[in-house]
Amino acid sequence: MAGISVKSVNLPDETRAFGGRGEGRVVEVDGHVVLYGSFEPGWRWSEHIKPIAGTAACEASHLMYCISGQMKSVHDDGTEAEVGPGDVAVIEPGHDAWVVGDVPFVSIDFGGYRQYAQPGA
C-alpha cells in the first residue's frame, strides 16, 4: 500500500445505473469504497432501486456529503430528514429516499456499502 492513493470519479472502477434516473460511479481506494452518485429529479429508491435490490427498504448504511440538489429520507422507525448542498448525513439501513425538486441530487457516499444498487442489496 502506498502512502497516498488517488482515484478520480471520472474514471470509476464501475458504473451502476439507478433505474434510468441516474448513476453511481464506484471507486475503490486502498480498500475504501466511495460512491459518487447522481440522482435525477423523479428518482425514488422504492421505485428505481428496490426492483434491482429486491429488499423491502434500502439496506445501505450511508455516510454522505451532498454537492447539489435535495433528497428526503424516511427511515423505517419514522425519522426523516432532507439533505441539501453542504450537508453531511448518516443514514442507517432501513429507509426510503427520493429527490426533492427539479435539480439532480449529487453526492459522495463514503459509507462503504459495496453492494449498493446490486441484487440483494
Side-chain angles (χ1 to χ4, degrees):
M1 176 188 338
I4 299 175
S5 295
V6 177
K7 282 192 155 177
S8 172
V9 296
N10 295 318
L11 298 169
D13 296 313
E14 181 182 354
T15 301
R16 297 181 187 164
F18 290 163
R21 291 279 188 174
E23 71 174 19
R25 299 179 197 165
V26 180
V27 295
E28 186 171 339
V29 183
D30 281 340
H32 300 277
V33 177
V34 178
L35 178 76
Y36 176 91
S38 178
F39 305 81
E40 297 298 321
W43 177 89
R44 186 177 185 123
W45 185 90
S46 56
E47 293 176 23
H48 298 97
I49 304 298
K50 181 177 181 174
I52 298 167
T55 56
C58 179
E59 295 301 328
S61 179
H62 302 282
L63 171 58
M64 70 170 58
Y65 172 75
C66 174
I67 297 169
S68 65
Q70 294 280 132
M71 183 177 281
K72 183 167 186 169
S73 293
V74 177
H75 199 273
D76 291 345
D77 70 5
T79 57
E80 57 184 70
E82 278 195 32
V83 179
D87 289 343
V88 175
V90 171
I91 305 170
E92 296 297 338
H95 60 274
D96 192 8
W98 57 90
V99 174
V100 175
D102 58 2
V103 175
F105 180 80
V106 178
S107 65
I108 301 174
D109 192 337
F110 300 94
Y113 195 72
R114 190 177 306 272
Q115 298 84 6
Y116 187 78
Q118 298 291 313

